[in-house]
Amino acid sequence: MNGSAWGTGGGLSRRLLFTGTFAVATGALTGAATADRRRPVRGTVLRARPATVSLGGRKVATWTYGGTVPGPIIRATAGGMVRARLVNDLPAETTVHWHGIRIEPRMDGAPGYTQAPTKPGRTFDYVFRVPDPGTYFYHSHVGMQNDRGLYGPLVVADPREPLGYDEEFVVLLDDWLDGIDGTPDDALRRLNASTEHDDTLRSDLLGGVTGEVRHPYHLVNGRMAEAPEVFTSRPGRTVRFRVINAAADTAYRVALGGHRMTITHTDGFPCAPATVDTFLIGMGERYDFVTRLGAGAFPLVALAEGKQARAFAIVRTTPGARRPPRDVKVPELERRLLAYADLRPRRADALPRPGRTVTVTLGMRPSGNEWTLNDRLAADPLRVRVEKGETIRIVMDNQSPMWHPMHLHGHTFQLRVGERRGVRKDTVNIKPRERLSVDVECDNPGEWMFHCHNLYHQEQGMMGVLGYGQAPPRHRHMSH
Ligand SMILES: [Cu+2]
């Protein structure tokens, strides 16, 4: 994977990329769920399979889409379709979740909620419309698979893109342990077997302990700092960076040495431009920023918050420029940090006023290995019942000792910032002892996962449901 595969040039090549992979338009959805391998494929094939991949300085055995980490970049256009065939060549069941997309339930890849997982040797055709432009990603939603290599970027172009820029780069962040020190399942087992927690993983920004696991590597686009991804451009070009946090257990503080950054989007949705030096991105969040590049070679760093480690890439605009070393000091990391309150929404993205409020308390049981929503675990989940057409306010009250990036499927909510409307998002970080409110317009009937995007917390119970009307008998809504 090199830089050029992940960036796109100006107008022409960008258009070619958008139309090259996807049939945009019209298609009926019938039959989508009953794929077999002999049917012709339109769109992308995601062949989930074990593979040995190079992270740059090191080869690891892991699970991948198509033999690479990350999986292929999928591009579509807002209002158009995504078509992707999952071929399961793993020795385990799997699904693909399209993180942040306001999608129809049976395409959401939420096993046990909206679809049965796809068995080894079987296929599933994901065919769905993408209503909103922006930066998204896809990943397995089965067990700990998302902490292997089963993830990739999904970029939805705006056919009326208002932002002026010369080119764009996708920056996919990930914490990595698979194949180094066992598998993520081993890491979860070790965690569950222990009552000792690593209290050295601490960050004031996140209000205390930041993570469960010390991942040995932090990656940009599948590459370690020792053999970094290089984004190649030219001095004076205005570049859009699409930053995605696909990690299981790590928030990153991101900065580009020698540059300020103008934040233009979060979780796909635009905001009034906010110029800062650095931003914190939790698991499942996305930020887009634009900046005008200087001449030279610059470090793009993602500090693993509270973990004394970082992901590292290079933005090079001058061919002969000397590479900054991977431990180079980046003063921007200590300067002006983006806050949610800096993000002002477009008027067009305002949701209706909520008719009622639901409080969800985020908690931890004394074991330290069970994380709860209103004192319930995933096995017997909290179900927030809503009716189609209403808007509700969810107040998340974090009474647990750790921060949580909470993610809702099938919707984007509107953050509340004091008395005013904040931006639309689908994933939001909540610190210990913090209360944070989001408004949800209930316009997409289904049974939707509402969970912590720390994969270890998710697997340790921190998973609820936003469900419409009467609760269905478990599994009735599964597509097959
Ligand atoms: Cu959590």
Side-chain angles (χ1 to χ4, degrees):
M1 202 73 58
N2 60 37
S4 62
W6 288 75
T8 60
L12 181 61
S13 57
R14 196 184 300 161
R15 273 199 299 280
L16 283 173
L17 269 167
F18 287 153
T19 52
T21 325
F22 281 95
V24 172
T26 66
L29 297 177
T30 45
T34 57
D36 70 59
R37 283 167 190 251
R38 290 158 300 182
R39 275 233 317 273
V41 178
R42 293 169 69 197
T44 301
V45 174
L46 295 176
R47 186 178 295 277
R49 65 176 176 87
T52 298
V53 301
S54 170
L55 306 178
R58 177 139 191 187
K59 283 202 163 105
V60 290
T62 187
W63 292 358
T64 66
Y65 293 120
T68 65
V69 174
I73 189 165
I74 296 180
R75 291 183 179 273
T77 301
M81 303 297 289
V82 167
R83 298 168 196 278
R85 174 171 297 179
L86 168 67
V87 180
N88 186 4
D89 286 339
L90 298 172
E93 295 181 336
T94 194
T95 66
V96 181
H97 170 57
W98 307 89
H99 182 110
I101 302 292
R102 296 190 292 147
I103 202 169
E104 58 171 308
R106 68 201 179 109
M107 294 292 143
D108 190 48
Y113 285 70
T114 51
Q115 77 162 110
T118 301
K119 292 188 161 46
R122 303 289 295 273
T123 71
F124 188 92
D125 278 1
Y126 289 94
V127 180
F128 54 91
R129 195 172 297 281
V130 279
D132 305 307
T135 303
Y136 302 90
F137 70 121
Y138 59 92
H139 61 79
S140 166
H141 217 303
V142 171
M144 297 301 296
Q145 292 179 6
N146 186 26
D147 199 20
R148 298 186 187 235
L150 293 171
Y151 63 84
L154 168 60
V155 173
V156 182
D158 188 339
R160 291 175 299 278
E161 178 61 62
L163 207 57
Y165 53 93
D166 300 314
E167 63 185 326
E168 63 176 59
F169 296 121
V170 173
V171 179
L172 193 38
L173 304 172
D174 188 27
D175 51 11
W176 192 274
L177 59 78
D178 196 26
I180 307 281
D181 190 14
T183 67
D185 296 283
D186 297 330
L188 179 64
R189 268 193 293 275
R190 280 196 295 272
L191 200 60
N192 284 335
S194 165
T195 52
E196 305 272 301
H197 282 81
D198 190 346
D199 282 353
T200 63
L201 308 176
R202 296 189 78 86
S203 154
D204 289 344
L205 276 186
L206 290 167
V209 176
T210 58
E212 299 289 344
V213 177
R214 199 179 280 280
H215 286 72
Y217 296 110
H218 296 276
L219 311 179
V220 175
N221 296 349
R223 298 192 69 88
M224 302 160 45
E226 289 81 350
E229 171 82 311
V230 179
F231 300 100
T232 306
S233 185
R234 290 207 301 273
R237 295 198 93 177
T238 298
V239 176
R240 176 182 190 166
F241 290 86
R242 297 176 181 269
V243 185
I244 305 165
N245 186 351
D249 183 56
T250 308
Y252 294 99
R253 203 190 316 172
V254 179
L256 176 60
H259 294 77
R260 301 203 87 198
M261 43 179 55
T262 299
I263 307 286
T264 60
H265 298 73
T266 182
D267 295 1
F269 276 78
C271 57
T275 299
V276 295
D277 297 295
T278 183
F279 62 90
L280 185 69
I281 183 169
M283 296 82 84
E285 287 192 297
R286 289 88 64 210
Y287 283 97
D288 293 22
F289 71 88
V290 294
T291 195
R292 194 162 169 273
L293 295 177
F298 305 96
L300 177 64
V301 292
L303 187 73
E305 192 61 38
K307 292 187 165 181
Q308 297 92 41
R310 62 188 189 176
F312 176 78
I314 289 170
V315 177
R316 184 204 293 277
T317 60
T318 311
R322 213 172 71 206
R323 280 185 176 202
R326 65 190 159 91
D327 59 351
V328 66
K329 195 162 161 44
V330 178
E332 284 78 7
L333 287 169
E334 308 300 331
R335 293 185 184 153
R336 174 68 161 86
L337 175 79
L338 182 79
Y340 284 152
D342 296 324
L343 300 169
R344 301 250 168 187
R346 284 190 314 195
R347 191 165 301 157
D349 295 326
L351 293 181
R353 291 199 164 281
R356 64 190 175 97
T357 295
V358 177
T359 299
V360 175
T361 301
L362 318 184
M364 185 190 79
R365 295 210 175 146
S367 67
N369 289 318
E370 291 163 300
W371 302 88
T372 57
L373 299 177
N374 287 0
D375 216 23
R376 303 174 85 104
L377 295 166
D380 176 25
L382 167 69
R383 183 175 186 272
V384 176
R385 175 180 170 157
V386 298
E387 304 299 332
K388 186 174 185 220
E390 71 168 336
T391 299
I392 65 163
R393 176 160 300 168
I394 300 178
V395 178
M396 287 176 274
D397 181 7
N398 187 358
Q399 298 289 342
S400 86
M402 271 184 75
W403 74 286
H404 304 283
M406 294 299 296
H407 173 55
L408 175 64
H409 288 212
H411 304 74
T412 60
F413 45 69
Q414 186 144 37
L415 215 58
R416 295 295 300 180
V417 178
E419 288 305 302
R420 66 175 169 84
R421 289 186 171 98
V423 281
R424 293 279 291 277
K425 281 177 77 56
D426 52 67
T427 311
V428 67
N429 304 330
I430 303 157
K431 284 179 274 199
R433 295 169 297 284
E434 188 178 18
R435 282 166 72 91
L436 196 144
S437 299
V438 299
D439 294 345
V440 184
E441 184 179 23
C442 303
D443 59 357
N444 192 9
E447 296 293 304
W448 299 103
M449 286 179 162
F450 174 52
H451 66 90
C452 177
H453 222 276
N454 182 311
L455 192 57
Y456 292 82
H457 293 179
Q458 177 193 303
E459 290 303 293
Q460 292 179 324
M462 205 163 205
M463 163 79 70
V465 188
L466 182 88
Y468 285 66
Q470 198 99 47
R474 194 95 166 133
H475 303 314
R476 201 187 74 195
H477 277 207
M478 293 161 67
S479 65
H480 67 282

